[in-house]
Amino acid sequence: MELPFRAKGDQLLPLGELTDIRKRLRLLAAKHDLTSVISCAFDYHTRMLPFLFVDTRMVPAGVRAIGSALVDSGFTKTRIVLQQWNRRFRPSAMRLDGRIPDLFCVSSMSLHKAEAHALLRDVHRIDPAQRPLVIAGGSICIYEPWSVFSHTEADPFSPDLAVTGEEYVFLNFLETLLSCRRPGEGLRAAFLRARDEGALDSVPGVIYGRGGPEGRPEELIDTGIQRLVSDLDETPHPVLGYAILNRPGRGHELSATPLEAGEVQKYNKISSLVMTFGCKYGCGYCPIPGYNQRNLRFKSGERIADEMARLNRTYGLSRFFGADDNFFNDKDRVAEIIGALEKAEDEQGPVHRRVLWGTEAAVNDTWALREMLPAMYRGGLRALWVGVEDMTGALIRKGQTVDRTVDVFKLLCENGIAPMPMMMHHDGQPLYTRGRPEGLLNQVNVLRKAGAIGLQVLMMTPSAGSKMYEQAFRSGMVYKSVAGRPVVDSMFDGNYVIASNVKKPWRKQINLMLAYLFFYNGFRLIVAIFRKRTELKSKQIAFQVIGIIGLAFTIRRTLGWMFRLMFGRIHRLSEPFRPAIPMRSPDGAIAAHDLPSQMSPAEPAAGPETSCTPADA
Ligand code: B12
Ligand code: SF4
């Protein structure tokens, strides 16, 4: 089920509100000497194709946005710690400006939940009287915020607050809290008082616990779905976030100083930039359109060019990745952005000569905008991750066909833009089909011949917040454990077969490996090295090298799972994960994020957990 929608006309913030709250907070900040640490949870078990390399070499935009928002609002004593770079970081050992920080934040995706819990658990080792105010956020809290709260007395690690939205929600909360903080009062003490007085109930997009022992609330109060900022130019500039990155290291503590500006690009090889949000399609397995309440949101071309230019001047960053869901959603906006990038100039000369970037888009929209590809190249676009899924449309129809996809890939190559297919393997797709394009290998081969430079093949896996999520569980498709090994959060990454109705799911696991092996191998590397010189030759070699190394990681991590699928007993879930702690809205109604409880009574009742062996699956 998708996140519920706010009423029409109330989904977006009034224009200028994010800009205004930033100004208001700057006035408040002068009266509060706050220190804050924002950590990013990262589970190293998830390191494999197709994200190996970029997963640890790109500062995630979420933590960077929250860090930028704090610095921009005047809270300059802020540090961002990435578990990707500081694997042993322990919040209980952190000191900033010589003291335990006032605010400790954890950002996480759902698949890094175990590490997010570990960070929360560790910060709970600090005595409650000195403990920072603890806030969780990121996509885990957008889709399953209840999962960051503990429900067992033996393991109480809950944050004080979960933010289920973007930077505006965080700033709105901070403004509310600081406005009622008394002189000399600790930040967490002020929070507990504000919470008990109901002051937080007017901040849409937060969840806090009430009752119960320390760290294990009896109930969760959910203030509802956030309102979204529509003009992304109002968001704080990312240049601020890169200035407060903790230095990579092996210690438990924070580094004495953040990374120097000149060192940032040594660790951050690619910089993600928010350019647009939202997607005009409505694929049943994707939570993105629902999250955006069917809105498309944009930054102006001028602002994007300014971000690239400043990041380049300040830190030497030159490679960018648009955190877009489908960059080509709207032709006019794309034209405006590309036009601005082509023209942008600063004291160091034309911006597009110093920066290169890539982004994501759907096949059909790339085709629709094909005439703009030369201008896109001139504007710095060098790689496009294309949502091919299954070219035949057997999984989802977004207007893509085999011929259309091939034409798009060839056009991209002709224009010097590397086509990077993103494919989705599913129960209905065989490994190979003779004389027909349905097979996974057939499609990989077609894409390879059409010029694909890299490859992403993920197994169709239920995604929280999507329309098909609950049904996938209720149909008994999702595994609970295989051969005694439980399916854990880090396996919900599309690299493991953890949801399937086929009789021999181990074959699906092998199919994923074979598809990569077919694409990334020594033979193709040699061919790439000796092929005639083209604009894309060096990229092809680089992706073959990364792909071959990544495949070794992938096989090492998933081979054991394949054997379990082959020989072990599969236990399945019969209903989706749901909150273990009762949730409600401040006025006692159903909580917006308590999704399973909101299912209509017509939905089939959850049956008992089922189990089967591969033979009878
Ligand atoms: C870029 C991207 C990637 C990059 C990430 C690189 C990097 N290091 O940044 C790559 C390509 C590596 C990647 C990989 C994967 N991704 Co990805 N990715 C995205 C994408 C398109 C953009 C992320 C982004 O930068 N957003 C912009 C920032 C500003 O938004 P944000 O992170 O949500 O942060 C905001 C809020 O969440 C909040 N916030 C964030 N942190 C915090 C913390 C606190 C304390 C507070 C208060 C608020 C807060 O404020 C921020 C500012 O508005 C998103 C979709 C999307 N549009 O967000 C998917 C998304 C994050 N990816 C997702 C997934 C599932 C994956 C994969 C598992 C692959 C897959 N199966 O799809 C892998 C995991 C790899 C790994 N080992 O981690 C899911 C996560 C779902 C979930 N429930 O957690 C998303 C949301 C897409 C989706 N809806 O399905 N991804
Ligand atoms: S096209 Fe991509 S981003 Fe858009 S709804 Fe489908 S899967 Fe999601």
Side-chain angles (χ1 to χ4, degrees):
M1 184 181 251
E2 291 184 307
L3 291 170
F5 284 24
R6 290 185 71 90
K8 274 243 173 295
D10 187 36
Q11 294 171 348
L12 301 174
L13 288 166
L15 277 177
E17 172 55 15
L18 178 51
T19 311
D20 290 347
I21 201 169
R22 287 162 55 197
K23 286 187 198 147
R24 295 199 299 270
L25 268 164
R26 268 174 231 147
L27 297 176
L28 265 177
K31 298 180 207 144
H32 301 268
D33 178 30
L34 292 190
T35 48
S36 340
V37 171
I38 309 152
S39 63
C40 180
F42 185 82
D43 189 331
Y44 269 73
H45 293 104
T46 65
R47 296 216 66 203
M48 60 186 117
L49 281 178
F51 306 114
L52 196 77
F53 185 81
V54 74
D55 53 359
T56 56
R57 289 172 178 82
M58 187 193 279
V59 173
V63 269
R64 193 195 60 205
I66 296 301
S68 299
L70 278 168
V71 174
D72 172 85
S73 306
F75 303 105
T76 50
K77 292 179 186 167
T78 298
R79 186 71 64 83
I80 296 174
V81 197
L82 310 177
Q83 278 196 322
Q84 291 90 327
W85 296 354
N86 296 89
R87 199 170 170 174
R88 300 197 186 138
F89 167 65
R90 295 252 296 273
S92 58
M94 65 188 169
R95 298 289 179 277
L96 195 62
D97 200 30
R99 55 191 158 122
I100 296 175
D102 302 285
L103 180 62
F104 176 65
C105 298
V106 179
S107 172
S108 184
M109 284 191 209
S110 297
L111 81 160
H112 301 302
K113 192 192 291 169
E115 290 303 323
H117 284 179
L119 287 167
L120 291 169
R121 210 167 273 132
D122 191 67
V123 77
H124 271 262
R125 295 176 59 204
I126 302 175
D127 182 75
Q130 271 110 47
R131 193 180 303 151
L133 172 63
V134 181
I135 303 184
S139 45
I140 190 173
C141 291
I142 284 170
Y143 298 110
E144 306 167 290
W146 36 267
S147 71
V148 296
F149 291 89
S150 160
H151 56 91
T152 49
E153 229 161 292
D155 187 20
F157 57 73
S158 303
D160 297 305
L161 187 85
V163 169
T164 63
E166 301 175 355
E167 54 270 79
Y168 177 79
V169 179
F170 178 61
L171 296 182
N172 188 7
F173 158 76
L174 212 54
E175 184 184 37
T176 310
L177 179 61
L178 295 182
S179 303
C180 60
R181 186 184 182 199
R182 293 175 182 151
E185 192 177 29
L187 193 68
R188 186 158 183 268
F191 164 83
L192 297 174
R193 194 172 49 74
R195 178 197 71 181
D196 294 342
E197 288 168 4
L200 308 179
D201 298 348
S202 58
V203 179
V206 299
I207 294 185
Y208 60 84
R210 285 187 77 105
E214 182 70 36
R216 193 198 64 77
E218 240 161 37
E219 61 171 352
L220 299 178
I221 311 298
D222 179 350
T223 63
I225 297 295
Q226 66 172 330
R227 282 179 298 159
L228 299 161
V229 58
S230 58
D231 178 2
L232 300 177
D233 284 7
E234 289 191 47
T235 55
H237 204 292
V239 80
L240 303 172
Y242 286 107
I244 52 169
L245 293 170
N246 201 58
R247 199 172 277 281
R250 292 167 182 272
H252 297 317
E253 294 152 22
L254 294 176
S255 57
T257 53
L259 266 185
E260 300 284 334
E263 293 173 306
V264 170
Q265 50 113 10
K266 182 172 157 200
Y267 300 98
N268 179 71
K269 297 289 182 202
I270 305 170
S271 315
S272 54
L273 280 192
V274 171
M275 307 204 282
T276 67
F277 271 134
C279 178
K280 64 184 178 194
Y281 296 101
C283 307
Y285 51 78
C286 176
I288 286 167
Y291 167 72
N292 286 286
Q293 312 211 10
R294 300 272 185 279
N295 291 288
L296 303 179
R297 301 181 284 152
F298 303 90
K299 259 182 198 160
S300 66
E302 207 180 310
R303 167 67 185 252
I304 293 170
D306 175 66
E307 291 190 1
M308 290 184 181
R310 275 181 73 183
L311 291 171
N312 180 259
R313 284 198 308 272
T314 317
Y315 305 104
L317 303 175
S318 59
R319 287 182 162 67
F320 297 95
F321 178 71
D324 304 290
D325 303 312
N326 179 12
F327 182 65
F328 294 163
N329 272 315
D330 181 310
K331 193 171 179 175
D332 293 342
R333 296 305 295 249
V334 174
E336 189 267 320
I337 293 172
I338 299 298
L341 284 171
E342 264 190 285
K343 275 189 253 140
E345 235 179 287
D346 62 7
E347 61 268 28
Q348 294 183 4
V351 175
H352 66 85
R353 296 233 178 103
R354 293 155 23 218
V355 303
L356 305 175
W357 55 283
T359 186
E360 295 186 18
V363 174
N364 223 25
D365 299 313
T366 314
W367 178 252
L369 271 63
R370 62 191 177 283
E371 266 138 38
M372 287 166 61
L373 292 177
M376 291 185 196
Y377 179 85
R378 289 197 299 277
L381 182 67
R382 290 294 185 278
L384 191 68
W385 276 261
V386 187
V388 169
E389 330 299 7
D390 173 337
M391 275 195 278
T392 60
L395 177 67
I396 183 83
R397 290 199 179 278
K398 292 186 282 186
Q400 82 277 33
T401 60
V402 178
D403 292 345
R404 170 73 45 96
T405 311
V406 169
D407 289 345
V408 163
F409 273 49
K410 287 188 173 158
L411 270 175
L412 287 168
C413 289
E414 282 162 21
N415 284 284
I417 301 169
M420 315 291 278
M422 301 190 291
M423 304 183 70
M424 197 86 91
H425 189 38
H426 55 97
D427 274 5
Q429 184 177 45
L431 176 65
Y432 175 74
T433 43
R434 188 185 286 268
R436 293 195 328 272
E438 285 85 359
L440 177 61
L441 289 186
N442 306 61
Q443 297 198 11
V444 172
N445 197 31
V446 169
L447 294 169
R448 184 189 64 76
K449 285 188 184 155
I453 298 294
L455 179 72
Q456 168 174 324
V457 187
L458 296 177
M459 183 70 194
M460 176 74 190
T461 305
S463 188
S466 65
K467 284 184 230 156
M468 283 159 56
Y469 184 68
E470 278 78 18
Q471 195 43 41
F473 284 82
R474 291 183 176 213
S475 69
M477 190 182 190
V478 186
Y479 303 164
K480 183 182 184 195
S481 65
V482 178
R485 182 177 161 190
V487 173
V488 292
D489 298 294
S490 60
M491 295 167 77
F492 275 74
D493 65 348
N495 276 311
Y496 292 90
V497 176
I498 54 157
S500 171
N501 281 325
V502 298
K503 282 195 178 148
K504 294 178 178 166
W506 56 271
R507 285 195 170 168
K508 294 275 149 202
Q509 194 68 61
I510 289 190
N511 292 355
L512 295 176
M513 293 183 217
L514 289 177
Y516 281 127
L517 190 60
F518 183 71
F519 193 88
Y520 293 122
N521 55 60
F523 172 70
R524 294 211 200 288
L525 174 61
I526 292 168
V527 171
I529 292 170
F530 289 104
R531 70 179 267 196
K532 76 173 190 312
R533 212 178 170 75
T534 66
E535 166 112 35
L536 299 177
K537 178 173 170 164
S538 57
K539 279 200 189 88
Q540 197 168 21
I541 296 173
F543 271 90
Q544 279 297 328
V545 172
I546 295 171
I548 291 168
I549 298 170
L551 183 56
F553 271 71
T554 309
I555 293 177
R556 185 169 71 90
R557 294 219 189 272
T558 58
L559 195 65
W561 187 250
M562 191 275 293
F563 283 118
R564 282 175 190 270
L565 291 170
M566 193 182 265
F567 299 114
R569 192 175 175 82
I570 298 179
H571 287 261
R572 294 167 186 265
L573 291 161
S574 58
E575 56 177 314
F577 304 110
R578 56 171 70 231
I581 308 171
M583 292 179 78
R584 65 172 174 87
S585 73
D587 58 8
I590 293 174
H593 293 85
D594 187 6
L595 296 177
S597 324
Q598 290 200 12
M599 295 186 79
S600 87
E603 293 284 343
E609 175 193 311
T610 57
S611 74
C612 58
T613 57
D616 62 11

